[in-house]
């Protein structure tokens, strides 16, 4: 049986020390800080976070109270007044400077994502790269996109889920900044806060008007949705939390964007291009079907079901899973995995219970895999 070890230099303590060396203003010996009124401050109720990678305890987000969140929003309002009057050329220059720093520290950002939310290395780096490359495209296109348009009348508040801290949250914030809007954002409480802290430290360093605070949704989230002067609310997350945000916005004329999880389906009938479908199925398993395009359900014409299974089952057999940083030899590259761990033991238990329930009601598992097939430390 193959024996695996942790890739040297990738332990959380090593990665945290690297982040702290890059941005000592945002990290200290006890954990991360909040970015409030333009300064990184040690404020808030620090919670422990259990890494999904190995169950170890790492510093969690320091949760602030309502009054502190309101201070952060008020400062963002003031910064917006100045930033919205800043020439587009200067906004582009500062955003590009931030992108260059994010590119320089891509590896540390990716390793933080691995430890916080369990993403395999390839998918963690993809999350960082999509943010950087996507915003670089906007830098090239923003002149024509802003023709005849002006910034909002207040900053944009951002509340996003934990699973794509860079390619969803940081990407959105940088585009909002390009468009002339200051930003105030909330870190997800389930994970991603270390990577977001480092990214925002680099953004703030080049003069971008960003604020970043941690807190419970019922406290900080309420402020970011309902505070006077907010120009727009950007929410990405689950349906339950999205419903709460929508209720708070009901009856107001505040601009908002709510992107919520969905369970879409492929419909397959009168079909014959099975090789192309197999490639789509393979990519759809990326990071445990977390992507919006990773449809989890298939509605298949009965006469094509046998042929569908011939395309589907081999894909399941090729999926690789395990510890994202486990290597056989110290000099080996980090593994190409499709799945790391789920975000928490609670979520793993929920999935197990749903599987058991489905089988008890007549569901038929097409493929069974065992933990022994994965790459794990002893």
């Amino acid at each position: 049986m193959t024996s695996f070890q942790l890739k040297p230099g990738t332990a959380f303590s090593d990665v945290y020390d690297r982040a702290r060396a890059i941005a000592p203003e945002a990290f200290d010996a006890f954990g991360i800080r909040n970015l409030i009124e333009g300064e990184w401050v040690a404020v808030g109720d620090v919670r422990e976070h259990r890494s999904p990678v190995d169950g170890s305890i790492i510093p969690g987000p320091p949760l602030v109270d309502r009054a502190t969140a309101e201070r952060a929003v008020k400062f963002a309002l003031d910064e917006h007044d100045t930033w919205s009057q800043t020439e587009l050329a200067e906004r582009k220059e500062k955003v590009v400077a931030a992108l260059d720093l994010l590119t320089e520290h891509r590896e540390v950002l990716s390793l933080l994502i691995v430890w916080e939310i369990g993403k395999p290395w390839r998918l963690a780096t993809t999350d960082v790269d999509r943010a950087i490359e996507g915003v670089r495209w906007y830098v090239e296109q923003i002149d024509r996109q802003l023709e005849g348009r002006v910034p909002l009348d207040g900053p944009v508040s951002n509340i996003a889920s934990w699973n794509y801290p860079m390619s969803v949250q940081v990407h959105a914030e940088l585009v909002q900044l390009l468009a002339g809007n200051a930003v105030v954002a909330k870190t997800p409480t389930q994970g991603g806060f270390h990577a977001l802290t480092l990214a925002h430290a680099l953004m703030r360093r080049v003069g971008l008007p960003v604020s970043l605070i941690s807190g419970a949704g019922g406290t900080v989230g309420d402020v970011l949705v309902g505070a006077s002067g907010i120009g727009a609310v950007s929410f990405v997350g689950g349906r339950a939390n999205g419903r709460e945000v929508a209720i708070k916005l009901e009856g107001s004329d505040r601009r908002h964007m709510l992107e919520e999880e969905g369970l879409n389906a492929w419909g397959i009938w009168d079909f014959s291009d099975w090789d192309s479908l197999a490639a789509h199925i393979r990519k759809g398993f990326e990071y445990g079907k977390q992507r919006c395009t990773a449809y989890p359900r298939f509605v298949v014409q009965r006469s094509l079901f046998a042929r569908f299974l011939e395309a589907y089952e081999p894909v399941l057999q090729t999926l690789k899973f395990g510890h994202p940083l486990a290597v056989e030899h110290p000099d080996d590259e980090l593994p190409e995995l499709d799945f790391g761990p789920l975000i928490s033991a609670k979520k793993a238990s929920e999935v197990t219970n749903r599987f058991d329930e489905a089988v008890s009601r007549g569901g038929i598992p097409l493929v069974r895999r065992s933990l022994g097939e994965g790459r794990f430390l002893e």
Side-chain angles (χ1 to χ4, degrees):
M1 182 176 178
T2 303
S3 177
F4 296 103
Q5 60 182 289
L6 186 69
K7 173 79 173 178
T10 66
F12 179 78
S13 59
D14 297 328
V15 180
Y16 187 85
D17 287 346
R18 291 175 66 183
R20 190 179 176 193
I22 295 166
E25 69 273 25
F27 297 84
D28 59 31
F30 307 103
I32 59 178
R33 299 170 179 167
N34 283 287
L35 178 54
I36 300 170
E37 297 178 327
E39 301 290 339
W40 289 98
V41 292
V43 62
D45 180 16
V46 179
R47 303 292 180 88
E48 292 181 337
H49 178 74
R50 189 175 293 277
S51 170
V53 173
D54 62 1
S56 60
I57 298 296
I58 63 177
L63 309 183
V64 303
D65 57 21
R66 178 177 294 272
T68 305
E70 289 171 346
R71 280 173 43 214
V73 170
K74 183 178 183 302
F75 183 79
L77 298 177
D78 295 337
E79 284 206 303
H80 179 81
D81 289 341
T82 301
W83 184 250
S84 63
Q85 301 300 316
T86 302
E87 293 294 330
L88 178 57
E90 183 178 343
R91 303 200 305 258
K92 290 167 64 175
E93 181 181 343
K94 290 184 176 181
V95 168
V96 169
L99 293 172
D100 290 343
L101 286 176
L102 293 173
T103 302
E104 179 183 350
H105 300 295
R106 167 185 183 263
E107 181 177 290
V108 178
L109 288 163
S110 301
L111 285 170
L112 288 171
I113 290 172
V114 170
W115 277 106
E116 290 188 271
I117 63 180
K119 276 196 177 186
W121 174 246
R122 175 178 60 84
L123 300 181
T125 55
T126 297
D127 187 33
V128 177
D129 292 343
R130 281 180 178 156
I132 295 169
E133 294 165 7
V135 178
R136 288 196 190 279
W137 181 87
Y138 273 99
V139 170
E140 295 175 357
Q141 305 296 326
I142 197 68
D143 292 83
R144 68 172 181 82
Q145 292 175 331
L146 291 183
E147 287 182 7
R149 298 181 176 183
V150 297
L152 298 169
D153 56 5
V156 181
S157 65
N158 288 264
I159 303 170
S161 56
W162 53 267
N163 49 0
Y164 287 96
M166 293 295 296
S167 61
V168 171
Q169 183 157 338
V170 171
H171 178 281
E173 291 179 37
L174 287 169
V175 175
Q176 293 158 13
L177 290 158
L178 266 179
N181 306 295
V183 164
V184 56
K186 174 186 176 300
T187 56
T189 54
Q190 285 186 285
F193 25 84
H194 287 86
L196 286 170
T197 295
L198 179 55
H200 283 75
L202 300 176
M203 292 157 69
R204 190 78 206 182
R205 187 174 296 172
V206 300
L208 291 175
V210 294
S211 298
L212 183 69
I213 52 178
S214 300
T219 302
V220 170
D222 282 356
V223 174
L224 294 188
V225 173
S228 176
I230 292 291
V233 175
S234 174
F235 172 87
V236 181
R239 288 190 298 272
N241 291 336
R243 187 180 304 113
E244 292 297 318
V245 172
I247 291 171
K248 291 181 177 69
L249 290 168
E250 189 174 359
S252 76
D253 58 358
R254 175 159 295 167
R255 297 188 184 206
H256 58 274
M257 184 280 292
L258 307 181
E259 180 184 339
E260 302 171 44
E261 63 187 343
L263 294 176
N264 298 314
W266 286 95
I268 301 173
W269 60 91
D270 295 338
F271 187 78
S272 61
D273 189 3
W274 300 104
D275 289 341
S276 294
L277 178 63
H280 279 293
I281 293 170
R282 184 69 176 75
K283 193 163 183 62
F285 275 96
E286 182 174 297
Y287 190 42
K289 288 185 173 288
Q290 288 288 317
R291 293 187 63 188
C292 301
T293 52
Y295 292 7
R297 294 182 294 166
F298 295 86
V299 180
V300 184
Q301 188 174 0
R302 187 176 296 275
S303 62
L304 297 178
F305 189 59
R307 188 66 188 86
F308 168 78
L309 291 182
E310 291 176 4
Y312 189 78
E313 291 187 58
V315 171
L316 302 187
Q317 299 287 6
T318 66
L319 298 177
K320 298 177 181 179
F321 58 93
H323 190 300
L325 304 173
V327 294
E328 190 172 355
H329 305 103
D331 294 334
D332 288 351
E333 296 293 326
L334 290 171
E336 288 277 332
L337 302 180
D338 301 289
F339 289 88
L342 275 78
I343 188 64
S344 65
K346 177 182 178 183
K347 184 58 65 174
S349 177
E350 289 177 4
V351 172
T352 300
N353 291 339
R354 289 188 180 188
F355 176 84
D356 292 342
E357 180 185 11
V359 172
S360 71
R361 294 187 177 189
I364 302 173
L366 297 177
V367 174
R368 287 184 181 270
R369 303 284 299 276
S370 70
L371 292 178
E373 301 172 64
R375 301 171 63 99
F376 295 102
L377 306 183
E378 288 189 16

